[in-house]
Amino acid sequence: MIERDVIILGAGPAGLSAAAELARLKVGKIAVLDREQAAGGIPRHCGHLGYGWNEFRRIMTGPAYARRLAETAGAAELKLGVTALRLEPGGVVQTTGAEGPQAWRGRAVLLALGARETPRSARLVSGARPWGVMNTGALQQFVYLHGKRPFERPVIIGSELVAFSTLLTLRHVKVRPAAMIEAGRRITAQRPGDWIARLAFGVPVLLDTRLIRILGHERVEGVEVDRGNGPERLDCDGVVFTGRFRPENALLAGSHLAVDPGTRGPAIDQLWRCSDPAYFAAGNLLRGIETAGQCWREGQAAARIIAATLLGKLAPPAASVPVQAAGALAYVYPQRLTAEDPIDPELLFFARARAATKGAIVLRGDDTVIWSRQIDALPERRIAWPVSPKDLQAHKSITVSLEPQA
Amino acid sequence: MAEFDRADVVIIGGGVVGCAIFRRLALAGLKPLLLEAGEDILSGASKGNSAILHTGFDAPPGSLEVVCMQAGYREYQAIRNRLNLPLVETGALVVAWNEEQLARLPAIVAQAHQNGVEDVTQISAEELRQREPQLAPHALGAVRVPGEHIIDPWSAPLAYALQGLAHGGRIRRGCTVSGGSFDGAWSLVTERGRITAGLVINAAGNFGDRVEAICRESPFKITPRKGQFVVFDKPAAQLVKSIILPVPTERTKGIVICRTAFGNLLVGPTAEDQETRDVAEVDEQALAMLIAKGQEMLPGLAEIGVNAVYAGLRPATQFKDYQISAQPERRWITVGGIRSTGLTAALGIAGQVGDLVAQHFHPMEESAPTWTPVPNLCEERPRPYQIGGEIVCHCEWVTRGEIEAALTGPLPAGDVGGLKRRTRAMMGRCQGFYCSAQVAAIAEGRITL
Ligand SMILES: Cc1cc2nc3c(=O)[nH]c(=O)nc-3n(C[C@H](O)[C@H](O)[C@H](O)COP(=O)(O)OP(=O)(O)OC[C@H]3O[C@@H](n4cnc5c(N)ncnc54)[C@H](O)[C@@H]3O)c2cc1C
Ligand SMILES: Cc1cc2nc3c(=O)[nH]c(=O)nc-3n(C[C@H](O)[C@H](O)[C@H](O)COP(=O)(O)OP(=O)(O)OC[C@H]3O[C@@H](n4cnc5c(N)ncnc54)[C@H](O)[C@@H]3O)c2cc1C
């Protein structure tokens, strides 16, 4: 058994910022394990600008940001090419890699395993299954890590922020997409997304358009879309499915840790603790996509809690109050509140709408309304709001609901 | 470089059936030449099935099909250890979900016994619940078939092909037979030139009638019957121990819930006739229907993600039974219409073909076999990642060494599909988000991506 004070699983922005913070707080021996051969997580292959402003007050490319993160975590031991296979009670992690199977034990284990996009298969898209259908994550690795151009004229499915990363990635290898296709009425990413796509990239943005079928035998030859008047063919040689992120949660499924079916991530309390208090979680594993900066902040915040725990400054978790999502909300987290003094005086809730909804977000303690606010929610945008812990602790259960306007 | 322009025996089609025949004839010293249209073996019906090794309990009594299935079933078990092929001994339960189906269970037991599958019994709803507590509570009873098992549908034919190669057989891929003429020997037309053959065996699956037309007016017509599947992520495999079969109808075995050798769970297949013979499209409604059906029978599936979807084409004809016969005067053997049980029956079919060859064409001498064990992909047996190595595909835990091995050797992967089938790389929950670029880089120059 390899013993460390803290084991961090995942060397992305969340894991590396936690490592840096723990090293700064001199918590003890810290090991960061990652299954890839290089540190950095997603930014490793995200070769365009868009990272670093929150953390380093500089706008950087993903790879530069990944290197910078790894430097800041320099005091921690970084083990690459090590895959966590199983999580066991009490902070025991079974791994494999070039050195063979190993068992690690941490007094605390931070799960920072990230998230990935939903592939074509799980979207149940009709048609043939030719080569040339991929997610942005794969496209970026072809382009930025291997210098390849997998297609010449793909369509992009979806208009979340990451779809603009797809555009940038394609532009890097001088590929002009045939179209960006969005099933909704409006672009999901914050404005001015659509005019950026149209003007800066010259890419037609088809709103209210449903992808109904992929054509081609060996390789993609086109897609069929429906813009309200039945099937129309669009010629293309690739399809990039963007967004619809889901936590990289396979390790949780086989483990003893409680998983929230809404987020598909681990259920945590407001102090980043999983149902086994030896385990903590931060970053995209909690719910799917946020910016790297947000994941970085979460890693840092979780690191402070871990430090306080290991230094004996924080009581072990006591009785907790469940927090539930209701109405048009897909999820809310933290999924539990415990009675200990929070380290951060302001408690933040994060939630996401299932579909575009105009209405009110209402927080109830048992049956009493504690707090409410009008919002115009989009499914791909985070809803976050601070609440005072004092308001909440007296209740047996807390429900957060998104209630559409009548 | 082996000569590819003549052979005593040419087999057309490198599906599971063609590969098993290839093995049988190579073991008998006939040095067969197998021609496959696709860039790799298993480009047709054999690339997408349910991977069940059937006992033949529900096959038509007295049919050639049941004879081949049962011979295939026995031979698979006899040789599988030497070829390092898995057998997941799940057993099956034919579950009755309503009174009408319940009433039909005794007949299923009787038919099984008639087919010689003696250990088949009917069990009560209570015993069913004990065996499969996660199954939806409205099940009324079941027939238990302890001998139905699960295998790896791709490694088995690969092992047959490799053993045939080790015994002097040859395989030419990317070689479609489009015509031929006969003057005591066959001269087959392919895009790679003419090939002279002393005997031709048609194992062309969904193109069986077209290839048959080279020899004679085809006595059967193929209407491919598509089967779509949904593959659920690994935690789903914990939900059931047995294969869950429905009470069959005239047309199909119906929708099955079945673990895979790779540790997933699949729900399918549909049964849809189509004209196209080489493309099996999936379709959103059918997939959604399968998910709904799966959840209805196994409510726990609602919590579990879909990893993959696929479709396969059964080479169905107007006949229920296999179409296997010899035309001695035309030096031709027909192996057609191996519809929905060919994975199980392949070795048995190969035995039948061997008998026809011995009877009409060539003596068959058994030699001491050289065994060609294949890499194990089955989750229940040791896999390389457990020993260690650089993992490239993180969902299926495929090492760089496994990918390299699949790209070399006597029958390297011929295309992406072949590489996936040999390694499972990119076949997991992320479908290549994390590893496809890396796999492509490893395969560069060897297969085109
Ligand atoms: C295409 C794309 C473009 C983006 N562009 C931007 C942008 O411009 N600006 C921005 O701010 N954000 C961007 N983002 C979002 C940002 O990259 C992510 O939010 C951030 O990387 C998440 O950090 P993380 O640490 O939670 O997870 P990740 O970065 O995903 O890191 C998780 C790490 O865990 C490792 N891991 C997973 N499972 C295991 C295991 N079993 N064993 C060992 N290790 C494991 C992985 O290898 C990985 O290194 C983009 C995301 C994508 C996909
Ligand atoms: C949905 C589904 C579920 C099934 N489930 C099971 C199961 O659980 N258990 C079981 O035992 N069986 C099952 N089967 C049946 C099994 O998959 C088939 O019976 C078997 O694959 C048929 O193999 P084959 O070799 O006859 O045909 P194929 O695999 O189609 O092989 C024929 C080959 O010939 C090649 N070819 C065609 N024309 C030419 C030409 N002119 N020149 C050169 N090559 C040519 C094709 O490319 C192809 O590779 C299932 C089938 C399906 C579709």
Side-chain angles (χ1 to χ4, degrees), chain B residues 81-154:
Chain B
N81 280 327
R82 309 303 298 268
L83 294 174
N84 196 31
L85 294 172
L87 182 73
V88 187
E89 301 187 42
T90 55
L93 295 166
V94 184
V95 176
W97 297 99
N98 58 40
E99 292 292 341
E100 186 206 328
Q101 293 172 355
L102 188 65
R104 282 166 54 202
L105 297 187
I108 295 175
V109 175
Q111 184 175 355
H113 293 172
Q114 196 182 349
N115 284 341
V117 191
E118 302 289 345
D119 57 357
V120 172
T121 52
Q122 186 168 343
I123 63 170
S124 65
E126 195 184 331
E127 183 177 347
L128 175 61
R129 257 186 291 287
Q130 248 159 36
R131 290 187 175 276
E132 299 294 350
Q134 306 278 349
L135 223 52
H138 64 286
L140 299 179
V143 168
R144 182 165 172 250
V145 192
E148 297 275 299
H149 297 321
I150 288 159
I151 65 176
D152 171 346
W154 304 306

Side-chain angles (χ1 to χ4, degrees), chain A residues 96 121 126-127 148 213 219, chain B residues 281-282 284 307 385 389 444 449:
Chain A
T96 190
S121 56
S126 300
K148 294 282 181 233
R213 185 155 167 248
R219 301 195 151 249
Chain B
E281 296 197 354
V282 292
E284 194 180 332
N307 277 14
Y385 77 84
E444 178 149 36
L449 286 173

Side-chain angles (χ1 to χ4, degrees), chain B residues 139-293:
Chain B
L140 299 179
V143 168
R144 182 165 172 250
V145 192
E148 297 275 299
H149 297 321
I150 288 159
I151 65 176
D152 171 346
W154 304 306
S155 295
L158 175 64
Y160 308 157
L162 288 171
Q163 196 171 22
L165 287 171
H167 280 266
R170 290 160 294 158
I171 295 179
R172 182 126 216 219
R173 295 174 286 180
C175 187
T176 308
V177 177
S178 55
S181 51
F182 181 72
D183 59 358
W186 279 100
S187 174
L188 298 174
V189 181
T190 78
E191 73 259 60
R192 309 213 176 200
R194 290 220 167 224
I195 295 173
T196 307
L199 166 65
V200 173
I201 299 174
N202 169 12
N206 282 306
F207 291 87
D209 53 350
R210 303 231 177 123
V211 168
E212 194 65 15
I214 296 172
C215 171
R216 54 173 179 158
E217 195 185 322
S218 179
F220 57 88
K221 179 181 183 320
I222 300 254
T223 306
R225 188 164 298 163
K226 179 164 77 178
Q228 304 188 45
F229 292 92
V230 173
V231 184
F232 286 87
D233 202 358
K234 306 212 188 257
Q238 310 298 319
L239 296 175
V240 279
K241 293 196 271 304
S242 323
I243 301 164
I244 305 301
L245 302 170
V247 173
T249 65
E250 258 306 283
R251 235 173 95 73
T252 99
K253 286 184 182 299
I255 289 162
V256 175
I257 297 181
C258 177
R259 281 154 62 197
T260 71
F262 318 112
N264 299 307
L265 188 86
L266 55 85
V267 176
T270 56
E272 308 157 67
D273 288 344
Q274 68 171 49
E275 284 302 314
T276 320
R277 289 156 185 257
D278 49 356
V279 185
E281 296 197 354
V282 292
D283 119 334
E284 194 180 332
Q285 271 102 38
L287 299 171
M289 178 278 288
L290 289 173
I291 292 174
K293 279 252 176 208

Side-chain angles (χ1 to χ4, degrees), chain A residues 163-179:
Chain A
F164 297 89
S165 172
T166 314
L167 283 173
L168 287 167
T169 306
L170 290 170
R171 190 166 71 170
H172 185 76
V173 277
K174 304 199 167 51
V175 169
R176 162 108 66 90

Side-chain angles (χ1 to χ4, degrees), chain A residues 380-400:
Chain A
E380 313 301 345
R381 284 186 207 153
R382 159 178 28 128
I383 307 168
W385 71 102
V387 217
S388 163
K390 289 194 302 293
D391 295 343
L392 303 175
Q393 277 162 6
H395 302 278
K396 285 203 185 56
S397 79
I398 289 161
T399 307
V400 184

Side-chain angles (χ1 to χ4, degrees), chain A residues 90-113:
Chain A
V92 175
V93 180
Q94 304 290 343
T95 67
T96 190
E99 291 166 37
Q102 290 176 326
W104 299 72
R105 188 190 356 245
R107 292 170 62 207
V109 177
L110 176 67
L111 305 175
L113 304 165

Side-chain angles (χ1 to χ4, degrees), chain A residues 35-37 85 96-98 100-101 116-117 119 121-122 124-127 129 131 138 141-142 146 148 213 219 250 253, chain B residues 235 281-284 307 309-310 385-391 394 397 429-434 436-437 441 444 449:
Chain A
R35 63 193 185 183
E36 297 295 344
Q37 304 298 321
L85 295 175
T96 190
R116 60 177 169 80
E117 294 159 291
S121 56
L124 310 184
V125 176
S126 300
R129 297 180 305 122
W131 183 252
Q141 296 186 49
F142 274 101
H146 298 281
K148 294 282 181 233
R213 185 155 167 248
R219 301 195 151 249
Chain B
E281 296 197 354
V282 292
D283 119 334
E284 194 180 332
N307 277 14
V309 297
Y310 68 98
Y385 77 84
Q386 295 159 344
I387 298 155
E390 178 189 334
I391 296 181
H394 297 298
W397 295 325
R429 60 187 75 82
C430 91
Q431 296 278 302
F433 178 98
Y434 291 113
S436 57
E444 178 149 36
L449 286 173

